[in-house]
Amino acid sequence: MATRHIISIGDFDRSGIDRLLDHARQIDSKKYDRNALNGKILAVLFFEPSTRTRMSFESAIARLGGTSVSVGSVDACSMAKGETLADTIRVVSGYADAIVIRHPKEGAARLAAEFATVPVINAGDGAGQHPSQTLLDLYTIRQSMPIDKIDVALVGDLRYGRTAHSLASALSLYNARLHTLSPTGLELPDTLATELTNKGMEIINHDSIEEMIGMIDVLYVTRIQRERFPDSASYFNVASSYRITPELLTKAKEHLIVLHPLPRVDEIDPRVDESPHARYFEQSRNGVPVRMAMLMDVMQ
Ligand code: NCD
């Protein structure tokens, strides 16, 4: 059987996503084999900072009876000595049953999959994709409403935000309508927007949150991806240019949910945390059952 990698959300069709989310729900209700991955080892190769993604993958493997290994910080591994990613991956393939990788370069996870002899999961490749985040985003939406034909707003850095890219692609499978709002220069990449439109997705660009707040079912807010900017001046030109407040949400549909992949900087006022619309902490918690389902998918 061919090794199963998860590199992009495009690796799934709609029924594949639905099946995985159903499995995650079953896991969430504690109906799963705690020894399903007994004796299996997950290599966690993170070349960029992470709290949620890394810890929830580590929790996920532990809850299934397996263990994880990692090099600690990037400076502590041989890539700091000039080893290529290809060689690192060949070597790590010999130490683990699957590899979760996060890397600052777009395409790095796909490259890793070419050299790995075990399954590779992309935990974020530069401004590319972040499929495990999208699966937990969809899981969180499904906890509140059926995903079909909903109006979803993507707000923030849609140029560099990999979570927005993967989510937009996934939503095109569910006949969703996309509303976008981003600072000038941080719009959804043209290639992605064209690809989505060709798939029949309607994309409406807005100039303000007020303009769209009454029309949407999901408000997906993202952080400006400061680390992808060429210099700090260009970051400060757009920093703090949007902020979700409880006052803005008074015009929202009653069932609207506010999501954010986190970490947030200043784009969601902490007062929103108390609002019945806020779902972002629940969303991050959902990372564990969803990643357990993903690990069982590729490692069993
Ligand atoms: C996101 C990421 O790394 O792309 N974080 C996460 O995995 N939850 C979003 C971000 O860093 O802004």
Side-chain angles (χ1 to χ4, degrees), residues 173-198:
L173 302 172
Y174 290 88
N175 313 306
R177 187 158 48 182
L178 212 58
H179 300 258
T180 66
L181 174 66
S182 43
T184 307
L186 299 183
E187 294 86 3
L188 215 55
D190 281 342
T191 44
L192 179 59
T194 309
E195 187 189 311
L196 297 173
T197 316
N198 288 343

Side-chain angles (χ1 to χ4, degrees), residues 42-53:
L42 179 69
V44 179
L45 267 185
F46 275 49
F47 301 106
E48 269 192 348
S50 172
T51 304
R52 280 149 286 272
T53 307

Side-chain angles (χ1 to χ4, degrees), residues 132-152:
S132 66
Q133 178 70 43
T134 295
L135 292 167
L136 74 91
D137 296 341
L138 296 174
Y139 183 82
T140 311
I141 297 173
R142 227 176 63 161
Q143 285 180 318
S144 297
M145 66 191 88
I147 307 178
D148 205 54
K149 297 199 180 81
I150 53 175
D151 281 84
V152 179

Side-chain angles (χ1 to χ4, degrees), residues 32-46:
Y32 67 94
D33 173 7
R34 281 159 182 71
N35 291 311
L37 296 182
N38 197 12
K40 300 272 187 182
I41 298 175
L42 179 69
V44 179
L45 267 185
F46 275 49

Side-chain angles (χ1 to χ4, degrees), residues 52-53 102 130 133 162-163 223 225 227 261-263:
R52 280 149 286 272
T53 307
R102 170 172 287 189
H130 195 346
Q133 178 70 43
R162 54 197 175 199
T163 67
R223 170 182 73 89
Q225 307 284 294
E227 63 277 34
L262 302 178

Side-chain angles (χ1 to χ4, degrees), residues 183-252:
T184 307
L186 299 183
E187 294 86 3
L188 215 55
D190 281 342
T191 44
L192 179 59
T194 309
E195 187 189 311
L196 297 173
T197 316
N198 288 343
K199 285 185 185 158
M201 192 178 218
E202 190 183 347
I203 306 179
I204 308 169
N205 303 315
H206 295 272
D207 296 322
S208 71
I209 295 169
E210 286 87 346
E211 181 183 310
M212 65 175 166
I213 191 71
M215 304 160 73
I216 56 177
D217 305 299
V218 176
L219 175 58
Y220 192 91
V221 190
T222 65
R223 170 182 73 89
I224 296 193
Q225 307 284 294
R226 180 177 187 166
E227 63 277 34
R228 315 257 177 255
F229 279 65
D231 53 70
S232 54
S234 47
Y235 168 73
F236 285 112
N237 275 339
V238 287
S240 305
S241 52
Y242 54 95
R243 185 172 172 88
I244 310 301
T245 60
E247 291 73 29
L248 267 175
L249 295 177
T250 55
K251 308 248 171 41

